[in-house]
Amino acid sequence: MTLNVALFGAGRIGKVHAASIKSDPRAQLVAVTDVMEQAAAELASEHGIAVRSADEILNDRSIDVILIASSTNTHADLIERGIAAGKAVFCEKPIDLDLERARKVVASVSAAGKPVMMGFNRRFDPNFSTLKAAYDAGDIGKGELLAVTSYDPAPPPVGYIKVSGGLFRDMMIHDFDICCWLFGMPETLSATGSCLVDPAIGEAGDIDTAVVVLTYADGRIATIRNSRRAVYGYDQRLELLGADGLLSVENQLETTVRKATTSGVTSAKPQLFFLERYMRAYEIEWGAFLDALIADAPMPATVQDGVNALALAEAANISLREGRPVTITAELTGVAK
Amino acid sequence: MTLNVALFGAGRIGKVHAASIKSDPRAQLVAVTDVMEQAAAELASEHGIAVRSADEILNDRSIDVILIASSTNTHADLIERGIAAGKAVFCEKPIDLDLERARKVVASVSAAGKPVMMGFNRRFDPNFSTLKAAYDAGDIGKGELLAVTSYDPAPPPVGYIKVSGGLFRDMMIHDFDICCWLFGMPETLSATGSCLVDPAIGEAGDIDTAVVVLTYADGRIATIRNSRRAVYGYDQRLELLGADGLLSVENQLETTVRKATTSGVTSAKPQLFFLERYMRAYEIEWGAFLDALIADAPMPATVQDGVNALALAEAANISLREGRPVTITAELTGVAK
Amino acid sequence: MTLNVALFGAGRIGKVHAASIKSDPRAQLVAVTDVMEQAAAELASEHGIAVRSADEILNDRSIDVILIASSTNTHADLIERGIAAGKAVFCEKPIDLDLERARKVVASVSAAGKPVMMGFNRRFDPNFSTLKAAYDAGDIGKGELLAVTSYDPAPPPVGYIKVSGGLFRDMMIHDFDICCWLFGMPETLSATGSCLVDPAIGEAGDIDTAVVVLTYADGRIATIRNSRRAVYGYDQRLELLGADGLLSVENQLETTVRKATTSGVTSAKPQLFFLERYMRAYEIEWGAFLDALIADAPMPATVQDGVNALALAEAANISLREGRPVTITAELTGVAK
Amino acid sequence: MTLNVALFGAGRIGKVHAASIKSDPRAQLVAVTDVMEQAAAELASEHGIAVRSADEILNDRSIDVILIASSTNTHADLIERGIAAGKAVFCEKPIDLDLERARKVVASVSAAGKPVMMGFNRRFDPNFSTLKAAYDAGDIGKGELLAVTSYDPAPPPVGYIKVSGGLFRDMMIHDFDICCWLFGMPETLSATGSCLVDPAIGEAGDIDTAVVVLTYADGRIATIRNSRRAVYGYDQRLELLGADGLLSVENQLETTVRKATTSGVTSAKPQLFFLERYMRAYEIEWGAFLDALIADAPMPATVQDGVNALALAEAANISLREGRPVTITAELTGVAK
């Protein structure tokens, strides 16, 4: 049996997912929809599939899965409509920019009992997942200090910044998820941030440089550093100190070529951006979703995970605004810790 | 216009090429043939194409390109039959184990005037091609010392060794080609070799460990080191000393994870074998062939290149047998230097 | 002219300084004093010098320089007595555990007009000073995010912890100084800390794991991570993101040997502790002090620098205790910013 | 008891040894002699010792050890005069440029029964000795392929080249010794060489770029690559493939600073030359000599080792001149293998 998949959204990330679907024979892409008709038509043509309306897709009982890669403001509704139509759902992060709305989606999903996965791609990066496997296997003993470094190569257009929900919900949300994935939910969060890269980002009410510190009930501490600009490429590193050692993920470089001259020894830059850096992660992520649908594997990233990351982003905004640590409560995440 | 491609050989390397063909929309795989009917059927099924006989393929005027990934002893004949049938040909190395036969293929190709490319995949590895581009750009000035390290993770079965043509023609041929690609044809060659990995390889009349030194008319020197066994993975490195610096290609590691413990700092192993290490190279190689067919780019690896590498392998066998340096003559390569 | 130097303190760090003095012919060690008579006698014997009392040293007009490497509680008095006796003073950090006392020393030094240097050895480590030189030269443009990682290989005895002044004044003070050296005095400081390594440290009222975030008036942010235990060795790293790139200092490893096996590729551990890691720094530091005395170079680490680092430690203790960011005021540092 | 040492030769390498002597309290430098009176006087003044004539030193029964760091043509005579005078001898390599003369020294030393050590400093470099210890401990199983890379940063003056004995006896002799130290005496040697760096070196009858291949009776193979010029610094690497893995020594870099910019990630260069790279090795070497004199440790580098390396240099000259592999016979080394 091959699962039939319909894709919502034919933009950059939609194309990535369309390619990933082709890499696993257990599912096939059969339809695409997008409000941008040209984008939908092009993607449909490339993959030899049909452009259909959202309603047609949701009403088509032969479609088993919808993959939501449309704009953020459509995610919550589409998840709910998808599960109501009896479909399994894969949705790009975030659920919604509004935390309360996201918590409602968790309730809807819980009530419907249909499988829904959030696209936290970094969990599936072979580097990060190898680190987690080594940590879970006890290679470095009990975790103590976690540090996530995540710098984009260049800031997005200010037009994007304005609708992004801000650095914490748009960019650092990935890093919040990584911290939750490795360390669980923190007890407190302290955020600091600045506008150092582009004054226009500050004028739009956002920051482009930020540091967040998370503390955990048992004394563990995590730090996240974000910048919208690292001119040398997409900087995606992580390190985790434990009682018995240190695990780290270094950047993937464009090549392994080195050049030694009178100026020193020069290596290649980190791979430029997420399409290069996480190409494999998107494929593995899709396979993990299919494993959950078909092989009864646990869902590797749930809507509750989506709410948790969003709750930390919300707390970061409060902390930044009020200049104080924020306690992470059940009210924020919608679940008792 | 999309070029129609037929694949000869549905084994391991045939499957790699079938996947590469899918990565470039300028050509499509339309047929496969293999003496192993089961293998052909499986590959055909996976790609939704037809199994056909070699004759049918060669007689089908709608087929533009044949890709030869069948066993070595079929290469020379299939190249000649392919060009006689008016087709462009992509052929896995080597042309033939017999140097004289290979030289005849060069003559046939030259007479037919059809485009034929040899599959020297390493030329298309982004690491090696970036090194060559930097060298050609003069980044390290005039080249002086070239060193190629090429170790397989584990020896092949002795059954394979017996039909392989021996280490120089089967394994080091890639490294000979890399030397020719970077430094051109050498003036002399000295080979030494041993059987250290598996006595059965020695009993089969072959070696599993070898060092070859090439000297060039202008004083440059190249060394190649081969072993059939590096237990830590597929070791594929190169370094080139020039008047103004050193360029090197390091191994690609399985992940970028590091673990620091009381035992030291441990990184991942090199990617296991050629399918992992050169996956991208096979795709780029295929695109470069299509560039030559469609966009009038120069053929990036010719049958003469195939003869040159084979001539060096022949010289290495003589040098090893007779314990002396061998001069590389026009008689060996079939062309005046 | 050779400067005559007397050493106060014949313990571990006193021995390091005695060795450094020998490395520069512009000064010679002529006397040592220590309340531990045996230690003083041994050091004196090794260096062929006299054991003398503190009073004798201070009253001896032929002694030009006193080097204070005795216990912390003697530093402030000895600095003041030394300058009152007309001597140049080199003093190990900190000036005093009490910030007010330290500020008085600054006033005394200012009034006396004698040269006094604080031993912030890391400023003289060739790695850190090369990074600073590159930063000052504009290699990465304006600084944005600074991150200091500083882990000891193993915690000191709890007996030491109890008299140490606590992690912030004993251990992180070096990192505070590095931040001041690179970024100047911050505007706010937020500290968090835990006892994860040894419960006895917590029982002694101290922490062994800490993260501090510093913010600067112009939006720059610095983070410091400390742990009393990194089982793989003394972890001393720094990275600095700027508008045009990233500068980092990696650990110095015990050797450059690598071993590749089926388990991966293993490198050596970082050098074990500060005597190994900063051996060169101590020598260079001493030479820089002599440069200031003899060659009119600026004093590279002043008592005000000592007060500044101590003020940040004080702020960190307040922040940790009260769970809030602390603003760094002129009251803390004794000088208008 | 402290051994009294007299130094023959106050040049660059003599100064290095004088400093090393100070690092170990078991011996003290008491006298120096040099035909360059000014150099001897300066070194004597710096170390507070006497300048004496060679005869005075040899006749002074209070002198236990002579350290020969004078010009190569004096080595053989001084060794013989030293042991005849009943002294222990440490001698810089080589024994003599003439192999026969060197073999006679071995006979003299053997007859006298006095301890004589040759200064093959690389054996004592912590990187190389750690590699050897790991190899001897069986970490990579049986050795198969050894590769030594040894490039000087810049060629010496041609005036030096002319009296040096040529690249094989002056420069590669260190690498021959490393091969003997790790693999023992080879069965055959093949040399190739060119003049690529400086035509004046060729006019002086020497080469500046060379590759030598050594084969061993049991099938092991070693390669040595030398160049008189690596513009990026002193390149001193080694790698050893064994049945169970690979051991390598990488270069020591000037600092651990990295800079990531739009141009890539740049690390420091290798330490410039042997004084920087092997500073520690010289100290350890001296301590090992004292261990042999005082603590009955085996002599770690003997005059026979000196003859062995010289015999390989002689064989390399023959191989280069005659363009053929040379068998290493007992006639060359003076001992049955």
Side-chain angles (χ1 to χ4, degrees):
Chain A
M1 186 203 71
T2 302
L3 295 172
N4 290 322
V5 184
L7 175 64
F8 285 70
R12 187 169 57 171
I13 193 69
K15 288 177 190 164
V16 169
H17 287 298
S20 292
I21 292 169
K22 284 173 72 173
S23 72
D24 194 311
R26 293 177 292 175
Q28 61 184 344
L29 187 61
V30 297
V32 62
T33 189
D34 196 303
V35 291
M36 308 292 279
E37 289 177 17
Q38 170 100 17
E42 281 174 13
L43 190 146
S45 164
E46 189 188 330
H47 288 269
I49 59 172
V51 176
R52 300 177 68 183
S53 74
D55 284 343
E56 285 172 352
I57 288 169
L58 291 166
N59 291 330
D60 182 343
R61 300 190 57 175
S62 75
I63 289 176
D64 306 292
V65 177
I66 64 168
L67 194 164
I68 305 172
S70 46
S71 60
T72 295
N73 62 338
T74 66
H75 290 187
D77 286 353
L78 284 173
I79 293 172
E80 291 182 340
R81 293 177 66 193
I83 56 178
K87 304 194 185 312
V89 176
F90 178 104
C91 185
E92 262 302 311
K93 62 89 210 167
I95 304 172
D96 197 276
L97 293 182
D98 182 71
L99 179 55
E100 193 174 354
R101 180 73 186 92
R103 282 194 301 252
K104 282 186 188 155
V105 170
V106 172
S108 305
V109 168
S110 176
K114 300 299 298 181
V116 179
M117 174 161 159
M118 294 305 299
F120 283 118
N121 57 305
R122 292 187 198 172
R123 294 186 177 202
F124 306 94
D125 172 67
N127 304 301
F128 289 112
S129 59
T130 297
L131 178 144
K132 185 170 193 296
Y135 177 47
D136 290 347
D139 286 13
I140 57 159
K142 188 178 170 306
E144 296 170 350
L145 282 172
L146 174 62
V148 181
T149 303
S150 180
Y151 304 156
D152 282 354
V158 170
Y160 174 82
I161 293 281
K162 287 177 181 169
V163 300
S164 69
L167 180 141
F168 292 126
R169 282 188 286 203
D170 175 58
M171 181 177 174
M172 199 180 280
I173 195 158
H174 282 291
D175 308 304
F176 287 134
D177 180 62
I178 287 291
C179 289
C180 292
W181 183 53
L182 288 166
F183 266 16
M185 281 301 276
E187 197 172 52
T188 74
L189 179 153
S190 297
T192 193
S194 306
C195 178
L196 297 173
V197 173
D198 183 353
I201 292 175
E203 286 157 21
D206 201 4
I207 54 177
D208 51 35
T209 306
V211 171
V212 163
V213 177
L214 306 171
T215 68
Y216 293 79
D218 61 358
R220 287 170 300 154
I221 308 171
T223 58
I224 303 171
R225 286 179 296 145
N226 270 190
S227 169
R228 288 284 193 185
R229 178 188 58 200
V231 298
Y232 51 89
Y234 191 41
D235 195 338
Q236 297 284 293
R237 288 173 291 146
L238 183 152
E239 61 178 75
L240 173 44
L241 177 71
D244 300 333
L246 180 84
L247 284 166
S248 64
V249 166
E250 309 294 327
N251 283 312
Q252 290 188 174
L253 305 185
E254 290 177 336
T255 71
T256 67
V257 176
R258 290 191 199 154
K259 181 169 69 175
T261 67
T262 53
S263 308
V265 181
T266 303
S267 306
K269 291 183 286 186
Q271 291 176 319
L272 185 60
F273 209 8
F274 67 95
L275 294 183
E276 294 82 7
R277 175 67 176 79
Y278 291 118
M279 181 180 63
R280 274 294 290 147
Y282 284 112
E283 287 182 8
I284 295 170
E285 174 186 62
W286 179 249
F289 177 57
L290 296 181
D291 287 345
L293 296 191
I294 293 168
D296 275 329
M299 188 60 66
T302 66
V303 282
Q304 183 63 49
D305 291 325
V307 163
N308 288 349
L310 205 58
L312 295 184
E314 183 80 7
N317 280 322
I318 296 169
S319 175
L320 181 67
R321 196 166 56 234
E322 304 186 0
R324 62 171 182 88
V326 170
T327 302
I328 308 303
T329 61
E331 283 175 15
L332 271 173
T333 61
V335 288
K337 267 190 292 185
Chain B
M1 188 202 71
T2 302
L3 296 172
N4 291 323
V5 183
L7 174 65
F8 285 71
R12 185 169 60 170
I13 193 68
K15 288 177 190 164
V16 169
H17 287 298
S20 291
I21 292 169
K22 284 174 74 175
S23 72
D24 195 311
R26 293 177 292 176
Q28 61 184 344
L29 188 61
V30 296
V32 62
T33 189
D34 196 304
V35 290
M36 307 293 279
E37 288 177 18
Q38 171 100 17
E42 281 174 13
L43 190 146
S45 165
E46 189 189 330
H47 289 270
I49 58 171
V51 175
R52 301 176 68 184
S53 74
D55 284 344
E56 283 171 352
I57 287 169
L58 291 165
N59 291 330
D60 183 343
R61 299 192 56 177
S62 76
I63 289 176
D64 307 294
V65 177
I66 64 169
L67 194 165
I68 304 170
S70 46
S71 61
T72 294
N73 61 340
T74 66
H75 289 187
D77 286 353
L78 284 173
I79 292 172
E80 291 181 339
R81 292 179 66 194
I83 55 178
K87 305 197 184 309
V89 177
F90 178 104
C91 185
E92 262 303 310
K93 62 92 207 166
I95 303 173
D96 198 274
L97 294 180
D98 182 69
L99 180 55
E100 192 174 356
R101 179 72 184 93
R103 281 195 301 253
K104 281 185 188 156
V105 171
V106 172
S108 305
V109 169
S110 176
K114 300 299 298 180
V116 180
M117 174 162 158
M118 294 307 298
F120 284 118
N121 57 305
R122 293 187 198 171
R123 295 186 177 201
F124 306 95
D125 171 68
N127 305 301
F128 289 112
S129 60
T130 297
L131 179 143
K132 184 169 196 294
Y135 177 48
D136 290 347
D139 285 14
I140 56 159
K142 188 176 171 306
E144 295 170 351
L145 282 172
L146 174 62
V148 181
T149 303
S150 180
Y151 304 155
D152 281 355
V158 170
Y160 173 83
I161 293 280
K162 287 177 179 166
V163 300
S164 70
L167 181 142
F168 293 126
R169 281 187 288 200
D170 175 59
M171 181 178 176
M172 198 180 281
I173 195 159
H174 282 292
D175 308 303
F176 288 135
D177 181 61
I178 287 291
C179 290
C180 292
W181 183 53
L182 287 166
F183 266 16
M185 283 300 276
E187 196 172 55
T188 74
L189 179 154
S190 297
T192 192
S194 307
C195 179
L196 297 173
V197 173
D198 184 354
I201 292 175
E203 286 157 23
D206 201 3
I207 53 176
D208 49 36
T209 305
V211 171
V212 163
V213 177
L214 307 171
T215 67
Y216 293 80
D218 60 359
R220 287 171 300 157
I221 308 172
T223 58
I224 302 170
R225 285 179 297 146
N226 270 190
S227 169
R228 287 285 192 186
R229 178 188 58 198
V231 297
Y232 51 90
Y234 191 41
D235 195 337
Q236 296 284 294
R237 287 173 291 146
L238 183 151
E239 61 179 75
L240 173 44
L241 178 70
D244 301 332
L246 181 83
L247 283 165
S248 63
V249 166
E250 309 295 327
N251 283 313
Q252 290 188 175
L253 305 184
E254 289 176 337
T255 70
T256 67
V257 175
R258 291 190 199 156
K259 182 169 69 173
T261 68
T262 53
S263 308
V265 182
T266 304
S267 307
K269 290 183 286 186
Q271 291 177 318
L272 185 60
F273 208 9
F274 67 94
L275 293 183
E276 293 82 8
R277 174 68 175 80
Y278 292 118
M279 180 181 62
R280 275 293 291 148
Y282 284 112
E283 287 182 8
I284 295 170
E285 174 186 65
W286 178 249
F289 177 57
L290 296 182
D291 287 345
L293 297 191
I294 293 168
D296 276 330
M299 188 59 67
T302 66
V303 281
Q304 182 63 50
D305 291 325
V307 164
N308 288 348
L310 204 60
L312 296 184
E314 183 80 8
N317 280 323
I318 296 168
S319 175
L320 181 68
R321 194 166 58 234
E322 304 187 0
R324 61 169 182 89
V326 170
T327 302
I328 308 303
T329 60
E331 282 177 15
L332 272 172
T333 61
V335 288
K337 267 189 293 186
Chain C
M1 189 202 71
T2 301
L3 296 173
N4 290 323
V5 184
L7 174 65
F8 285 72
R12 186 169 59 170
I13 193 68
K15 287 178 192 164
V16 169
H17 287 298
S20 292
I21 291 169
K22 283 174 74 175
S23 72
D24 195 311
R26 292 177 293 176
Q28 60 184 346
L29 188 61
V30 296
V32 63
T33 189
D34 196 302
V35 291
M36 308 293 278
E37 289 177 17
Q38 169 101 18
E42 281 174 14
L43 190 145
S45 164
E46 189 189 332
H47 289 269
I49 58 173
V51 176
R52 301 175 68 184
S53 73
D55 284 343
E56 284 171 351
I57 287 169
L58 291 166
N59 291 329
D60 183 343
R61 299 190 58 176
S62 75
I63 290 177
D64 306 293
V65 178
I66 64 168
L67 195 163
I68 305 171
S70 46
S71 61
T72 294
N73 61 340
T74 65
H75 289 189
D77 286 351
L78 284 174
I79 293 172
E80 290 181 341
R81 291 179 67 194
I83 55 178
K87 304 196 184 311
V89 177
F90 179 104
C91 185
E92 260 304 308
K93 61 90 206 164
I95 303 173
D96 197 276
L97 294 180
D98 181 70
L99 180 54
E100 193 174 355
R101 179 73 185 92
R103 281 195 301 252
K104 281 185 189 155
V105 171
V106 171
S108 305
V109 168
S110 178
K114 299 300 298 180
V116 179
M117 175 162 159
M118 294 305 298
F120 283 119
N121 58 305
R122 293 187 197 171
R123 295 185 177 202
F124 306 94
D125 172 68
N127 304 300
F128 289 113
S129 60
T130 297
L131 178 142
K132 184 169 195 296
Y135 177 48
D136 290 347
D139 285 14
I140 58 159
K142 188 179 170 306
E144 294 169 352
L145 282 172
L146 174 63
V148 180
T149 303
S150 179
Y151 304 155
D152 281 354
V158 170
Y160 174 83
I161 293 279
K162 287 176 180 167
V163 299
S164 70
L167 181 141
F168 293 127
R169 280 187 289 200
D170 175 58
M171 181 178 175
M172 199 180 280
I173 195 159
H174 282 292
D175 308 302
F176 287 135
D177 180 62
I178 287 290
C179 289
C180 292
W181 183 54
L182 287 167
F183 266 16
M185 282 301 277
E187 195 172 55
T188 75
L189 178 153
S190 297
T192 193
S194 307
C195 179
L196 297 172
V197 173
D198 183 354
I201 291 175
E203 287 157 21
D206 201 4
I207 53 176
D208 51 35
T209 306
V211 171
V212 163
V213 178
L214 307 171
T215 68
Y216 293 80
D218 61 358
R220 286 171 300 156
I221 307 171
T223 59
I224 302 170
R225 285 180 296 147
N226 270 189
S227 169
R228 287 284 192 186
R229 178 188 58 200
V231 297
Y232 51 89
Y234 191 41
D235 195 337
Q236 297 283 294
R237 288 172 291 146
L238 183 152
E239 61 179 76
L240 172 45
L241 178 69
D244 301 332
L246 181 84
L247 283 166
S248 63
V249 166
E250 309 295 326
N251 283 313
Q252 289 188 174
L253 305 185
E254 289 177 335
T255 71
T256 66
V257 175
R258 292 190 198 156
K259 181 169 70 174
T261 67
T262 53
S263 307
V265 182
T266 303
S267 307
K269 291 184 285 186
Q271 291 177 319
L272 185 60
F273 208 8
F274 67 93
L275 293 183
E276 293 83 7
R277 175 68 174 80
Y278 291 119
M279 181 180 62
R280 273 294 289 148
Y282 284 111
E283 288 182 7
I284 296 170
E285 175 186 62
W286 178 250
F289 177 57
L290 296 182
D291 287 344
L293 297 191
I294 294 168
D296 276 329
M299 188 58 67
T302 66
V303 281
Q304 183 62 51
D305 291 325
V307 163
N308 288 349
L310 204 59
L312 295 183
E314 182 81 8
N317 279 322
I318 297 169
S319 176
L320 181 68
R321 196 167 57 233
E322 305 186 0
R324 63 170 181 87
V326 170
T327 302
I328 308 303
T329 60
E331 285 176 13
L332 272 172
T333 60
V335 288
K337 266 188 295 187
Chain D
M1 187 204 70
T2 301
L3 296 172
N4 291 322
V5 183
L7 174 64
F8 285 70
R12 187 169 60 170
I13 194 67
K15 288 177 191 165
V16 170
H17 287 298
S20 292
I21 291 169
K22 284 173 73 173
S23 72
D24 194 311
R26 294 177 291 176
Q28 60 184 346
L29 187 62
V30 297
V32 61
T33 188
D34 196 302
V35 291
M36 309 292 279
E37 289 178 17
Q38 168 102 17
E42 281 173 13
L43 191 146
S45 164
E46 190 189 329
H47 289 269
I49 59 171
V51 176
R52 300 177 69 184
S53 74
D55 284 343
E56 285 171 352
I57 288 169
L58 291 166
N59 291 329
D60 182 344
R61 300 189 57 174
S62 74
I63 290 176
D64 306 292
V65 178
I66 64 169
L67 195 164
I68 305 171
S70 45
S71 61
T72 294
N73 62 338
T74 67
H75 290 187
D77 286 353
L78 284 173
I79 293 172
E80 290 181 343
R81 293 179 65 193
I83 56 178
K87 305 195 184 308
V89 176
F90 179 104
C91 185
E92 262 302 310
K93 61 92 207 163
I95 304 171
D96 197 276
L97 295 181
D98 182 71
L99 180 54
E100 193 174 354
R101 179 74 185 89
R103 281 194 302 252
K104 281 185 189 158
V105 171
V106 171
S108 305
V109 168
S110 178
K114 301 299 298 180
V116 179
M117 173 162 160
M118 294 305 299
F120 283 118
N121 57 304
R122 293 188 198 171
R123 295 185 176 201
F124 306 95
D125 173 68
N127 305 300
F128 289 112
S129 60
T130 297
L131 178 143
K132 184 168 194 297
Y135 177 48
D136 290 348
D139 285 13
I140 58 160
K142 187 176 171 309
E144 295 169 352
L145 281 172
L146 173 63
V148 181
T149 303
S150 180
Y151 304 155
D152 282 353
V158 171
Y160 174 82
I161 293 280
K162 286 176 180 168
V163 299
S164 70
L167 181 140
F168 293 126
R169 281 188 287 200
D170 175 60
M171 180 177 175
M172 198 180 281
I173 195 158
H174 282 291
D175 308 303
F176 288 134
D177 180 62
I178 287 290
C179 290
C180 292
W181 183 52
L182 288 166
F183 267 14
M185 281 302 277
E187 196 172 55
T188 74
L189 179 153
S190 297
T192 192
S194 307
C195 179
L196 297 173
V197 172
D198 183 352
I201 293 174
E203 286 157 22
D206 200 3
I207 53 177
D208 50 37
T209 306
V211 171
V212 162
V213 177
L214 307 171
T215 68
Y216 293 79
D218 61 359
R220 287 170 300 155
I221 308 171
T223 58
I224 303 171
R225 286 179 295 145
N226 270 190
S227 170
R228 288 283 193 185
R229 179 188 58 200
V231 297
Y232 51 89
Y234 191 41
D235 195 338
Q236 296 285 294
R237 288 173 290 146
L238 183 152
E239 62 178 75
L240 172 45
L241 177 71
D244 301 332
L246 181 83
L247 283 166
S248 62
V249 166
E250 309 295 327
N251 283 312
Q252 290 188 174
L253 305 186
E254 290 177 336
T255 71
T256 67
V257 175
R258 291 190 199 155
K259 182 169 69 173
T261 66
T262 53
S263 308
V265 182
T266 303
S267 307
K269 292 183 284 186
Q271 291 177 318
L272 185 60
F273 208 9
F274 67 94
L275 293 183
E276 294 83 7
R277 175 67 175 80
Y278 292 118
M279 181 181 62
R280 274 294 290 147
Y282 284 112
E283 287 182 9
I284 295 170
E285 174 186 64
W286 178 249
F289 177 57
L290 296 182
D291 287 346
L293 296 192
I294 294 168
D296 275 330
M299 189 58 67
T302 66
V303 282
Q304 183 63 50
D305 291 325
V307 162
N308 288 349
L310 204 60
L312 295 183
E314 183 81 7
N317 279 322
I318 296 167
S319 175
L320 181 68
R321 195 168 55 235
E322 304 187 359
R324 62 170 181 90
V326 170
T327 302
I328 308 303
T329 60
E331 284 176 13
L332 272 173
T333 61
V335 289
K337 267 190 292 187

